[in-house]
Amino acid sequence: MSIGIKREVLKKGWGFFDVMHKDRRVARIYEDGRCTVNFPSFMPYNLYLESSDDLDSRINNLNNFYYWCSSRVLTLDRKYAKEILRAIGASQAVTDKDRAMIAVSYHGLSLTDVFWIRRAKEKISFAELNLYNHSLSDAFADVSLRGRDITLQNAELFMSREAAGDVGTPGVAPKAWIRKNGEFYLLKDGDERDVNAELLASKIAGCFRVACVPYEEDVFDGVRVSKCKIITSVEKSIVPFEFIEVYCTNRDLDKHAYVLKKDPYSYHMMNVIDYLVGNTDRHWGNWGFFVDNATNKLQALYPLMDFNKSFLAYDTVYGAKCQTTERRMTQQEAAIEAVKSVGLNQISEIPREWFPDKALREMFFSRLEILKNAN
């Protein structure tokens, strides 16, 4: 199936779109904002639609739908975003509506979940689109990781594969999905510092009793990158906390209380690890829950990932402002609170030779000692 933008989709008069969960139609939204919600419990966590003829409600439905679709398209702050969008024939859309239409053109597919978008009167199944069961071409990795334009030599190969995995993967650093020996891996570049930070922080996290994504060193086109296996599948999705915030807001729920009720241990250990490794990038899109696709119900927090911005704000023992707490506090304060709640849970020693320089090593072990004393 070609991933190129279908121009007829971008025109007015789209009739309706179906929000699909695998082969289940969970909702239908019309171009005037009317909608029907067929399976409320299978709705995306960051999409709220209301069946009403009220004009304000219909406008809200359209805005919410456009927002949901746009959340499935890479943002323009992603490195090589312009090159990626140009490769699929899309403009550098700014508004949610423009970005939504880009998502619609490739059915809103993602490697984070099993939702997709079906156009009016379209006869197609999830099996025909499912990214998990369709090969990806390394031709598009050249665009995502290196910003290279699609060439005449690889254009035909690229157009016969799915690029939606890369187009729909969030984050700023250059990254690309590849398939090796039947398994998906995410390659992530940035610069030498970021790759080294991700690899070291991943090893450190593995010394504690907490679920974390192991990163390995790899090489793409002669340049070192970090590599990790995919954690989602047809059976299991992930939902970032920023989507949970939308879900809770629309239901008058306290989002932080919601998280602490679901998985307090993983939440507190996240704050411990982020403090120890000086991770300054734990924004609301960088952590969240696993979802059982059979029920669309939240499970535990998914393993810690995205450590390429570790060892920053690392010149004092206090760390940066914690991004995951309800109250304003430093990473040190959040980590001490976490240790008092669930313990430190270190399961193996951390070799000093892992650290490339003395200053980094001394700061890490100073922070570790602070938490040991708080235990």
Side-chain angles (χ1 to χ4, degrees):
M1 184 195 70
S2 171
I3 195 68
I5 292 293
K6 296 174 175 58
R7 297 297 172 186
E8 67 272 14
V9 175
L10 305 183
K11 297 177 182 178
K12 291 184 178 180
W14 43 265
F16 63 82
F17 292 126
D18 289 334
V19 178
M20 306 291 296
H21 181 275
K22 293 187 179 179
D23 283 317
R24 185 194 306 265
R25 189 185 81 193
V26 299
R28 173 171 290 179
I29 181 165
Y30 295 85
E31 58 187 324
D32 63 359
R34 291 179 298 111
C35 74
T36 55
V37 178
N38 306 98
F39 292 92
S41 63
F42 278 86
M43 286 285 288
Y45 279 82
N46 61 329
L47 175 58
Y48 182 78
L49 299 176
E50 185 177 0
S51 298
S52 172
D53 288 328
D54 177 72
L55 179 59
D56 288 341
S57 296
R58 286 189 284 146
I59 292 173
N60 286 335
N61 285 340
L62 285 174
N63 288 334
N64 292 343
F65 176 72
Y66 292 146
Y67 163 78
W68 175 70
C69 291
S70 69
S71 72
R72 305 176 75 76
V73 181
L74 81 174
T75 56
L76 290 179
D77 59 354
R78 162 92 165 265
K79 191 170 184 180
Y80 306 134
K82 296 178 182 178
E83 290 82 357
I84 293 169
L85 292 175
R86 184 168 64 245
I88 66 169
S91 62
Q92 297 165 31
V94 175
T95 69
D96 278 353
K97 183 176 181 179
D98 291 339
R99 289 164 50 76
M101 292 302 105
I102 293 175
V104 166
S105 72
Y106 60 85
H107 293 93
L109 293 165
S110 171
L111 280 170
T112 61
D113 59 38
V114 292
F115 289 105
W116 58 287
I117 303 162
R118 187 174 65 188
R119 296 187 288 273
K121 300 179 182 179
E122 189 173 31
K123 302 297 183 183
I124 195 167
S125 69
F126 183 65
E128 296 173 73
L129 301 172
N130 177 9
L131 294 183
Y132 296 103
N133 295 335
H134 290 271
S135 296
L136 294 177
S137 167
D138 285 349
F140 200 68
D142 282 337
V143 183
S144 298
L145 277 174
R146 291 288 169 267
R148 292 175 178 159
D149 286 329
I150 291 292
T151 64
L152 289 176
Q153 184 177 3
N154 61 23
E156 184 176 350
L157 174 66
F158 159 67
M159 293 303 288
S160 65
R161 298 292 190 267
E162 301 293 353
D166 287 352
V167 180
T169 300
V172 175
K175 59 193 69 175
W177 290 103
I178 62 169
R179 187 190 285 271
K180 287 187 176 181
N181 301 320
E183 293 189 275
F184 278 118
Y185 290 86
L186 183 66
L187 302 186
K188 187 157 59 171
D189 192 2
D191 55 35
E192 191 74 7
R193 195 222 73 86
D194 286 1
V195 172
N196 288 336
E198 187 136 71
L199 295 173
L200 177 56
S202 173
K203 288 198 298 183
I204 291 171
C207 295
F208 293 81
R209 188 174 292 106
V210 63
C212 57
V213 173
Y215 287 86
E216 302 174 6
E217 181 178 347
D218 205 342
V219 176
F220 180 85
D221 193 32
V223 177
R224 288 177 70 242
V225 296
S226 63
K227 178 182 73 174
C228 66
K229 282 186 180 181
I230 194 170
I231 64 171
T232 58
S233 66
V234 174
E235 293 76 31
K236 185 167 55 178
S237 297
I238 59 173
V239 175
F241 181 68
E242 62 182 326
F243 294 2
I244 300 301
E245 194 268 344
V246 174
Y247 176 84
C248 290
T249 297
N250 286 313
R251 290 160 180 80
D252 293 324
L253 299 173
D254 183 312
K255 55 185 178 292
H256 286 94
Y258 191 79
V259 171
L260 286 172
K261 182 180 179 181
K262 287 285 184 182
D263 191 358
Y265 179 83
S266 298
Y267 169 79
H268 286 304
M269 286 305 298
M270 172 175 62
N271 289 336
V272 168
I273 300 301
D274 281 348
Y275 168 64
L276 287 174
V277 303
N279 180 21
T280 62
D281 196 35
R282 189 64 65 198
H283 57 76
W284 288 7
N286 259 354
W287 62 284
F289 287 92
F290 270 134
V291 175
D292 178 4
N293 289 339
T295 62
N296 201 37
K297 299 297 184 183
L298 298 181
Q299 299 179 311
L301 290 180
Y302 58 72
L304 297 178
M305 61 174 73
D306 274 333
F307 287 111
N308 60 316
K309 295 304 178 185
S310 295
F311 308 108
L312 298 174
Y314 216 60
D315 51 343
T316 74
V317 293
Y318 303 107
K321 174 184 176 294
C322 185
Q323 297 173 285
T324 65
T325 54
E326 185 176 17
R327 304 191 326 274
R328 182 179 180 87
M329 60 176 66
T330 65
Q331 287 181 308
Q332 184 193 82
E333 291 171 324
I336 289 174
E337 185 177 281
V339 168
K340 290 180 178 178
S341 296
V342 300
L344 183 58
N345 302 297
Q346 185 175 354
I347 57 176
S348 61
E349 292 299 314
I350 299 163
R352 290 180 175 269
E353 56 267 26
W354 280 0
F355 296 85
D357 60 68
K358 181 180 178 181
L360 202 69
R361 180 173 62 250
E362 289 184 349
M363 179 55 65
F364 173 81
F365 284 103
S366 294
R367 292 186 178 200
L368 181 59
E369 189 65 25
I370 288 171
L371 296 190
K372 285 181 176 179
N373 291 333
N375 197 0

PDB file of all heavy atoms in Angstrom, residues 270-282:
ATOM      1  N   MET A 270      10.386   5.391  39.101  1.00  0.00           N
ATOM      2  CA  MET A 270      10.731   6.280  37.991  1.00  0.00           C
ATOM      3  C   MET A 270      11.417   7.537  38.514  1.00  0.00           C
ATOM      4  O   MET A 270      12.437   7.989  37.967  1.00  0.00           O
ATOM      5  CB  MET A 270       9.460   6.642  37.210  1.00  0.00           C
ATOM      6  CG  MET A 270       9.649   7.704  36.142  1.00  0.00           C
ATOM      7  SD  MET A 270       8.133   7.952  35.169  1.00  0.00           S
ATOM      8  CE  MET A 270       6.980   8.516  36.443  1.00  0.00           C
ATOM      9  N   ASN A 271      10.892   8.095  39.597  1.00  0.00           N
ATOM     10  CA  ASN A 271      11.482   9.306  40.161  1.00  0.00           C
ATOM     11  C   ASN A 271      12.845   9.035  40.784  1.00  0.00           C
ATOM     12  O   ASN A 271      13.734   9.898  40.759  1.00  0.00           O
ATOM     13  CB  ASN A 271      10.531   9.913  41.194  1.00  0.00           C
ATOM     14  CG  ASN A 271       9.305  10.534  40.549  1.00  0.00           C
ATOM     15  OD1 ASN A 271       9.321  10.925  39.388  1.00  0.00           O
ATOM     16  ND2 ASN A 271       8.206  10.605  41.299  1.00  0.00           N
ATOM     17  N   VAL A 272      13.028   7.827  41.343  1.00  0.00           N
ATOM     18  CA  VAL A 272      14.340   7.450  41.882  1.00  0.00           C
ATOM     19  C   VAL A 272      15.382   7.391  40.767  1.00  0.00           C
ATOM     20  O   VAL A 272      16.473   7.988  40.861  1.00  0.00           O
ATOM     21  CB  VAL A 272      14.247   6.082  42.600  1.00  0.00           C
ATOM     22  CG1 VAL A 272      15.644   5.533  42.899  1.00  0.00           C
ATOM     23  CG2 VAL A 272      13.448   6.214  43.888  1.00  0.00           C
ATOM     24  N   ILE A 273      15.066   6.659  39.709  1.00  0.00           N
ATOM     25  CA  ILE A 273      16.032   6.479  38.609  1.00  0.00           C
ATOM     26  C   ILE A 273      16.337   7.801  37.917  1.00  0.00           C
ATOM     27  O   ILE A 273      17.507   8.115  37.630  1.00  0.00           O
ATOM     28  CB  ILE A 273      15.504   5.445  37.593  1.00  0.00           C
ATOM     29  CG1 ILE A 273      15.277   4.085  38.259  1.00  0.00           C
ATOM     30  CG2 ILE A 273      16.469   5.319  36.416  1.00  0.00           C
ATOM     31  CD1 ILE A 273      16.504   3.478  38.896  1.00  0.00           C
ATOM     32  N   ASP A 274      15.308   8.594  37.648  1.00  0.00           N
ATOM     33  CA  ASP A 274      15.527   9.855  36.949  1.00  0.00           C
ATOM     34  C   ASP A 274      16.418  10.800  37.758  1.00  0.00           C
ATOM     35  O   ASP A 274      17.220  11.551  37.199  1.00  0.00           O
ATOM     36  CB  ASP A 274      14.192  10.532  36.633  1.00  0.00           C
ATOM     37  CG  ASP A 274      13.502   9.929  35.417  1.00  0.00           C
ATOM     38  OD1 ASP A 274      14.157   9.155  34.685  1.00  0.00           O
ATOM     39  OD2 ASP A 274      12.317  10.221  35.191  1.00  0.00           O
ATOM     40  N   TYR A 275      16.275  10.776  39.080  1.00  0.00           N
ATOM     41  CA  TYR A 275      17.143  11.605  39.916  1.00  0.00           C
ATOM     42  C   TYR A 275      18.584  11.101  39.852  1.00  0.00           C
ATOM     43  O   TYR A 275      19.525  11.890  39.659  1.00  0.00           O
ATOM     44  CB  TYR A 275      16.653  11.593  41.357  1.00  0.00           C
ATOM     45  CG  TYR A 275      17.653  12.190  42.324  1.00  0.00           C
ATOM     46  CD1 TYR A 275      18.009  13.541  42.239  1.00  0.00           C
ATOM     47  CD2 TYR A 275      18.254  11.407  43.307  1.00  0.00           C
ATOM     48  CE1 TYR A 275      18.942  14.095  43.116  1.00  0.00           C
ATOM     49  CE2 TYR A 275      19.180  11.943  44.193  1.00  0.00           C
ATOM     50  CZ  TYR A 275      19.523  13.295  44.088  1.00  0.00           C
ATOM     51  OH  TYR A 275      20.444  13.839  44.949  1.00  0.00           O
ATOM     52  N   LEU A 276      18.766   9.802  39.987  1.00  0.00           N
ATOM     53  CA  LEU A 276      20.118   9.250  40.006  1.00  0.00           C
ATOM     54  C   LEU A 276      20.871   9.526  38.710  1.00  0.00           C
ATOM     55  O   LEU A 276      22.062   9.852  38.736  1.00  0.00           O
ATOM     56  CB  LEU A 276      20.060   7.741  40.271  1.00  0.00           C
ATOM     57  CG  LEU A 276      19.700   7.323  41.695  1.00  0.00           C
ATOM     58  CD1 LEU A 276      19.540   5.804  41.779  1.00  0.00           C
ATOM     59  CD2 LEU A 276      20.748   7.805  42.691  1.00  0.00           C
ATOM     60  N   VAL A 277      20.192   9.399  37.579  1.00  0.00           N
ATOM     61  CA  VAL A 277      20.884   9.572  36.291  1.00  0.00           C
ATOM     62  C   VAL A 277      20.726  10.983  35.725  1.00  0.00           C
ATOM     63  O   VAL A 277      21.228  11.273  34.634  1.00  0.00           O
ATOM     64  CB  VAL A 277      20.402   8.534  35.251  1.00  0.00           C
ATOM     65  CG1 VAL A 277      20.598   7.124  35.772  1.00  0.00           C
ATOM     66  CG2 VAL A 277      18.951   8.776  34.847  1.00  0.00           C
ATOM     67  N   GLY A 278      20.034  11.863  36.459  1.00  0.00           N
ATOM     68  CA  GLY A 278      19.896  13.242  35.993  1.00  0.00           C
ATOM     69  C   GLY A 278      19.121  13.363  34.701  1.00  0.00           C
ATOM     70  O   GLY A 278      19.476  14.151  33.807  1.00  0.00           O
ATOM     71  N   ASN A 279      18.032  12.595  34.572  1.00  0.00           N
ATOM     72  CA  ASN A 279      17.216  12.658  33.359  1.00  0.00           C
ATOM     73  C   ASN A 279      16.316  13.896  33.403  1.00  0.00           C
ATOM     74  O   ASN A 279      15.446  14.002  34.266  1.00  0.00           O
ATOM     75  CB  ASN A 279      16.369  11.397  33.238  1.00  0.00           C
ATOM     76  CG  ASN A 279      15.485  11.400  31.998  1.00  0.00           C
ATOM     77  OD1 ASN A 279      15.759  12.121  31.039  1.00  0.00           O
ATOM     78  ND2 ASN A 279      14.434  10.613  32.016  1.00  0.00           N
ATOM     79  N   THR A 280      16.494  14.801  32.474  1.00  0.00           N
ATOM     80  CA  THR A 280      15.730  16.053  32.462  1.00  0.00           C
ATOM     81  C   THR A 280      14.608  16.048  31.441  1.00  0.00           C
ATOM     82  O   THR A 280      14.040  17.097  31.144  1.00  0.00           O
ATOM     83  CB  THR A 280      16.670  17.244  32.161  1.00  0.00           C
ATOM     84  OG1 THR A 280      17.256  17.069  30.861  1.00  0.00           O
ATOM     85  CG2 THR A 280      17.778  17.361  33.204  1.00  0.00           C
ATOM     86  N   ASP A 281      14.271  14.873  30.902  1.00  0.00           N
ATOM     87  CA  ASP A 281      13.308  14.819  29.798  1.00  0.00           C
ATOM     88  C   ASP A 281      12.133  13.901  30.094  1.00  0.00           C
ATOM     89  O   ASP A 281      11.564  13.304  29.192  1.00  0.00           O
ATOM     90  CB  ASP A 281      14.024  14.354  28.518  1.00  0.00           C
ATOM     91  CG  ASP A 281      13.206  14.635  27.257  1.00  0.00           C
ATOM     92  OD1 ASP A 281      12.519  15.668  27.222  1.00  0.00           O
ATOM     93  OD2 ASP A 281      13.266  13.822  26.316  1.00  0.00           O
ATOM     94  N   ARG A 282      11.738  13.801  31.374  1.00  0.00           N
ATOM     95  CA  ARG A 282      10.613  12.937  31.710  1.00  0.00           C
ATOM     96  C   ARG A 282       9.307  13.735  31.628  1.00  0.00           C
ATOM     97  O   ARG A 282       8.546  13.838  32.579  1.00  0.00           O
ATOM     98  CB  ARG A 282      10.800  12.340  33.114  1.00  0.00           C
ATOM     99  CG  ARG A 282       9.790  11.253  33.469  1.00  0.00           C
ATOM    100  CD  ARG A 282       9.910  10.038  32.590  1.00  0.00           C
ATOM    101  NE  ARG A 282      11.195   9.360  32.776  1.00  0.00           N
ATOM    102  CZ  ARG A 282      11.704   8.496  31.917  1.00  0.00           C
ATOM    103  NH1 ARG A 282      11.054   8.203  30.804  1.00  0.00           N
ATOM    104  NH2 ARG A 282      12.873   7.938  32.145  1.00  0.00           N
TER     105      ARG A 282
END
